[in-house]
Amino acid sequence: MDAILAQLLNGLDKGAAYALIALGLTLVFGTLGVVNFAHGALFMLGAFCAVAFRQFITTETVTIDETQLSPWGTPLEVRTPMAEQWFGDWAPFLIDYSVPISIVLAIPFMLLVGIAMERGLIKHFYKRSHAEQILVTFGLAIVLQELVKTFFGPNPWPQPIPSDFRGAADVGAWFGMQAGAVTYPLWRLVYLLFAGVILGAVFAFLRFTTFGMVVRAGMADRETVGLLGINIDRRFTIMFGIAAVVAGLAGVMYTPLLPPNYNLGMDFLVLSFVVVVVGGMGSLPGAVAAGFLLGILQSFASMTQIKALIPGIDQIIIYFVAVVILLVRPRGLLGRRGVMEG
Amino acid sequence: MDIFRLPRKDVITLALFSIVVLTMPIWLAPLGAAYPGLMQQFAIFAIFAVGFNILFGLTGYLSFGHAAFLGVGSYTAVWSFKLLTMDAIPALIFAIIMSGVFALAIGFVSLRRSGIYFSILTLAFAQMSYNLAYSVLTPITNGETALQLTSQDPRIIDMMFRDRLAGLPSPSLLGTSLGGYGGFYLCAAILLVVFFIAQKIFTSPFGMQLRAIKSNQTRMSYTGFNTRPYTLAAFVISGMYAGLAGGLLAVTDPLAGAERMQWTASGEVVLMTILGGVGTLLGPVIGAWLIKYMENIFSAFNARILADLFSWLPDGVQDGVVLVSSKFVGEGWKLTEGLVFVLVVVFLPGGIMEGTRRIKSLFGARRANRSASKEQLSTTAAE
């Protein structure tokens, strides 16, 4: 029982990342009809927002203080991080919480990147075939990740967890088990909650705002909405920006769990595409459900008992499930009838 | 012999192509690329791209998992070296058969769906093979260390004829060693053969049927035409091409690693094909050469070479130009590759072949204006 709970939780946080990326992919596909292979690169860009923010606030300026001496008799070099000059007493807090705080930076940045990408490139590919969309966004993904590589180099950048969230939560105790039976890293729990909030916000935005209503109407029948005199293209562009923000935030908060390097996006992209296809192209609930489902399946498959039963299953489970689903249920789990069946 | 007959135009293409391929050591010398290792890669990846194009160019099915067949070919060839003999011929034959079997199985399943689902399915299968090759199949693939020859390999057939020598043997062809130019000429000869086969496929009724599937599959089925066997045949053929290329990689360098099967490797052959021109015969070859050239030559560039290159510029400007361009070569050559690729897809969807065709028809139109010749007709059919 406790092993199952532990695996369930393990799967949930990975599933949360899949779900967030897949949600963005589906949003883009559902609104603009574009298959975006550069979406993983947006996830990676978000992660590097956190890296860049931390690099910036910890940039040290060195001043030589003649009055004090270092232990070996030379004038003492005083190193002050950028944050201290700017924010004074807040600096330690700022540096400690650099990852969550960089969200503030990531939101406008990702929105800008998303809108620039849509207006600059993807706009021209609405009418072209899906194969061409895949190709151009694949090329774009290469360009983005290579750009990041030129600035940040090929090595991963580990980011610290804020000190208050280090350590593990005794999840087992919450469910009435004995203390210490199931523990779970606190930051993963934070990530899970964060993903829940973002997912809820996106769904609420689409569900309860006029803007969201128009977007949903546009997803169902773009032409009619356009005929009603609504500038649906602009709204879809904004949705692309929002999808980029969602991917970016998923990336920001994931940095303490997995040190990002320039290749991070590609690794997640393939999986999240599989997630989207399993959930059903164009279905938002499907993408989220499939994200969590596959995350959990993957973590169960990596249990030693199951690996002993079927060796190698943890490596292929996601792809295997995808193949099976695609063959027996062409629309995916929750896909709408008639959308991308073929 | 009827099967060797080709339309006149194709015979000329083949002849010119043979000359270009076989004289590579000469005309690549001024470009700084005339060393056997690189030219072997040119030939091998041209084979890979030509094969990929038989599937993607003719039927329009975009496979994102073709590198798996390349990897299977490599592993099979290395195992043939290890178990049977160091001769290249059985290694290549086994590589083709093995990858053909794999392609048959994967294609049989994947071709139930089309469009993006087909791409995802092939991608899923390729990633499965890659992950398995890295983990559970380590006894077969040797995992991260890559499959290599050892001096203790059985090599049954070789051992029947001669004694075990000290040191590692190297692949050979009927007794002649395949080091240096030997390896290149083997790859080049095979490239010519498979190019000829691709030409045959393009001009055959089978090729015509594949093109019809690309242009309108629904109509094909409505006319009572079962498309599945044809697409499957195309898939298997292109998988065998990939396996052959993988086998040749192992012949020129008897080492097979799983990273050859990763999906980025599959993406690379897509890039080659698109860059050169989808659906054309020569396009994928040119694309493969360009990308391999860029990969090997650009990545060797450094700031000093660039400074020499731009030394004719005024001093201040030179530093700026060198600084900016250094981001695009050396370590950053992939950035150039990505940019070129995006530009090609945006502005020149038909790749380099379409570019040359446009230039040709530009001149053709001028000439046609002057003499009303039929130049245009022949340029539009320049495939």
Side-chain angles (χ1 to χ4, degrees):
Chain A
M1 178 60 205
D2 45 352
I4 291 178
L5 184 64
Q7 291 304 327
L8 205 64
L9 284 168
N10 271 335
L12 279 178
D13 72 309
K14 198 142 210 188
Y18 294 157
L20 285 176
I21 305 176
L23 178 77
L25 267 176
T26 311
L27 266 182
V28 171
F29 181 76
T31 51
L32 301 167
V34 169
V35 181
N36 184 11
F37 258 53
H39 205 75
L42 292 173
F43 179 76
M44 179 267 304
L45 275 186
F48 273 93
C49 279
V51 174
F53 180 68
R54 189 177 176 80
Q55 284 306 105
F56 178 71
I57 60 172
T58 52
T59 306
E60 288 170 335
T61 43
V62 182
T63 46
I64 294 176
D65 191 345
E66 297 289 349
T67 56
Q68 297 176 55
L69 289 181
S70 65
W72 44 88
T74 51
L76 185 68
E77 289 182 352
V78 183
R79 293 171 185 273
T80 31
M82 192 76 94
E84 210 161 294
Q85 297 167 18
W86 286 21
F87 301 100
D89 293 344
W90 283 90
F93 171 78
L94 212 59
I95 293 175
D96 189 18
Y97 275 80
S98 73
V99 169
I101 289 174
S102 51
I103 287 178
V104 182
L105 174 82
I107 289 177
F109 177 72
M110 294 310 296
L111 197 65
L112 251 166
V113 168
I115 290 177
M117 220 167 112
E118 201 273 339
R119 284 290 94 182
L121 186 68
I122 291 177
K123 183 178 79 171
H124 307 288
F125 278 80
Y126 294 160
K127 296 268 154 55
R128 301 239 206 137
S129 69
H130 285 303
E132 279 180 306
Q133 292 169 354
I134 293 177
L135 295 172
V136 79
T137 47
F138 179 58
L140 186 65
I142 295 178
V143 171
L144 285 177
Q145 74 174 40
E146 291 304 316
L147 275 178
V148 167
K149 191 176 154 196
T150 49
F151 285 110
F152 292 94
N155 296 323
W157 290 79
Q159 298 292 307
I161 299 173
S163 49
D164 292 346
F165 294 103
R166 282 180 206 147
D170 196 353
V171 180
W174 303 349
F175 290 90
M177 280 180 249
Q178 68 192 68
V182 179
T183 55
Y184 192 59
L186 210 48
W187 185 257
R188 286 174 184 256
L189 215 56
V190 171
Y191 193 82
L192 200 55
L193 288 176
F194 172 78
V197 170
I198 299 267
L199 291 173
V202 171
F203 277 100
F205 178 70
L206 286 173
R207 193 82 223 167
F208 301 120
T209 63
T210 321
F211 188 97
M213 189 187 70
V214 173
V215 168
R216 275 185 300 133
M219 283 167 84
D221 189 345
R222 177 183 193 144
E223 203 171 335
T224 313
V225 175
L227 286 176
L228 292 171
I230 292 168
N231 187 351
I232 191 74
D233 282 359
R234 208 175 77 210
R235 283 161 210 252
F236 281 179
T237 309
I238 294 171
M239 284 318 288
F240 191 99
I242 290 176
V245 171
V246 171
L249 293 187
V252 168
M253 295 294 275
Y254 210 71
T255 47
L257 299 179
L258 182 70
N261 73 344
Y262 72 102
N263 227 347
L264 175 75
M266 289 294 189
D267 298 342
F268 269 80
L269 174 80
V270 178
L271 283 173
S272 21
F273 247 101
V274 170
V275 168
V276 171
V277 170
V278 168
M281 284 299 252
S283 159
L284 295 175
V288 176
F292 283 110
L293 186 74
L294 289 181
I296 292 168
L297 273 180
Q298 196 181 23
S299 92
F300 273 108
S302 43
M303 285 170 77
T304 35
Q305 294 95 320
I306 294 185
K307 271 203 287 198
L309 211 59
I310 319 168
I313 187 72
D314 56 322
Q315 301 289 328
I316 61 165
I317 179 80
I318 289 195
Y319 303 108
F320 185 71
V321 169
V323 168
V324 171
I325 294 245
L326 273 181
L327 294 177
V328 300
R329 219 186 132 72
R331 313 199 273 283
L333 288 178
L334 298 172
R336 275 180 292 164
R337 189 177 289 278
V339 178
M340 290 287 291
E341 281 184 70
Chain B
M1 287 284 274
D2 220 31
I3 45 164
F4 291 115
R5 188 168 298 158
L6 273 176
R8 198 184 148 74
K9 189 163 61 61
D10 284 356
V11 174
I12 297 172
T13 316
L14 184 63
L16 288 176
F17 184 68
S18 317
I19 294 171
V20 169
V21 170
L22 293 175
T23 57
M24 251 189 199
I26 299 168
W27 61 267
L28 278 177
L31 297 171
Y35 48 97
L38 183 55
M39 291 191 301
Q40 283 164 1
Q41 288 217 337
F42 280 176
I44 291 169
F45 280 90
I47 296 171
F48 191 18
V50 166
F52 179 77
N53 187 46
I54 290 177
L55 179 72
F56 181 43
L58 288 181
T59 67
Y61 278 79
L62 173 58
S63 159
F64 247 95
H66 250 55
F69 306 128
L70 188 88
V72 168
S74 286
Y75 282 127
T76 316
V78 176
W79 272 113
S80 158
F81 291 147
K82 283 169 89 73
L83 295 178
L84 298 174
T85 166
M86 290 306 293
D87 200 86
I89 294 173
L92 291 178
I93 291 173
F94 284 126
I96 295 173
I97 293 174
M98 244 350 231
S99 53
V101 170
F102 263 75
L104 187 69
I106 293 179
F108 182 77
V109 178
S110 307
L111 283 164
R112 285 160 178 268
R113 309 295 308 275
S114 61
I116 178 169
Y117 291 109
F118 173 78
S119 304
I120 301 276
L121 276 172
T122 46
L123 183 57
F125 277 116
Q127 284 297 97
M128 272 197 241
S129 332
Y130 168 72
N131 286 349
L132 286 179
Y134 252 127
S135 57
V136 190
L137 296 181
T138 317
I140 301 176
T141 61
N142 211 7
E144 279 181 45
T145 21
L147 191 62
Q148 297 165 11
L149 300 177
T150 61
S151 48
Q152 297 310 314
D153 291 331
R155 278 196 293 282
I156 301 166
I157 296 177
D158 281 1
M159 288 308 112
M160 284 192 280
F161 298 107
R162 55 178 178 271
D163 293 333
R164 195 179 288 277
L165 302 170
L168 280 181
S170 63
S172 59
L173 180 71
L174 303 175
T176 34
S177 165
L178 284 176
Y181 282 96
F184 163 67
Y185 280 109
L186 174 70
C187 297
I190 292 178
L191 171 62
L192 293 178
V193 172
V194 300
F195 187 80
F196 169 74
I197 297 174
Q199 277 185 316
K200 281 304 283 185
I201 292 176
F202 268 61
T203 48
S204 66
F206 171 64
M208 195 54 105
Q209 279 144 353
L210 293 181
R211 284 204 188 104
I213 291 170
K214 182 184 189 177
S215 61
N216 196 336
Q217 186 158 13
T218 324
R219 188 177 290 175
M220 284 294 273
S221 352
Y222 282 169
T223 52
F225 187 89
N226 187 3
T227 55
R228 280 282 285 297
Y230 291 89
T231 44
L232 187 58
F235 192 88
V236 172
I237 291 172
S238 77
M240 287 163 121
Y241 268 71
L244 174 64
L248 280 174
L249 277 179
V251 167
T252 53
D253 178 18
L255 182 94
E259 72 286 340
R260 261 176 214 174
M261 305 171 100
Q262 211 183 1
W263 77 284
T264 39
S266 303
E268 199 181 44
V269 72
V270 181
L271 297 188
M272 290 170 181
T273 312
I274 302 285
L275 182 66
V278 190
T280 61
L281 266 168
L282 283 174
V285 177
I286 297 174
W289 288 351
L290 267 179
I291 286 190
K292 281 290 149 192
Y293 183 76
M294 288 204 326
E295 181 182 308
N296 285 280
I297 304 299
F298 274 24
S299 58
F301 268 37
N302 52 31
R304 203 177 46 77
I305 299 180
L306 283 175
D308 287 349
L309 203 63
F310 292 114
S311 54
W312 48 275
L313 287 169
D315 266 353
V317 183
Q318 186 199 345
D319 291 346
V321 170
V322 168
L323 185 71
V324 172
S325 53
S326 67
K327 297 288 175 212
F328 291 90
V329 296
E331 292 277 287
W333 78 272
K334 268 201 171 289
L335 181 60
T336 324
E337 187 192 47
L339 276 176
V340 168
F341 181 65
V342 169
L343 292 177
V344 165
V345 177
V346 173
F347 295 108
L348 209 63
I352 291 169
M353 288 305 278
E354 189 183 304
T356 52
R357 203 176 312 147
R358 279 191 199 171
I359 295 169
K360 257 194 211 167
S361 65
L362 204 68
F363 286 111
R366 272 188 212 154
R367 233 178 296 170
N369 284 343
R370 243 177 281 149
S371 61
S373 72
K374 53 180 195 258
E375 190 70 22
Q376 249 169 331
L377 276 178
S378 60
T379 49
T380 45
E383 289 169 332

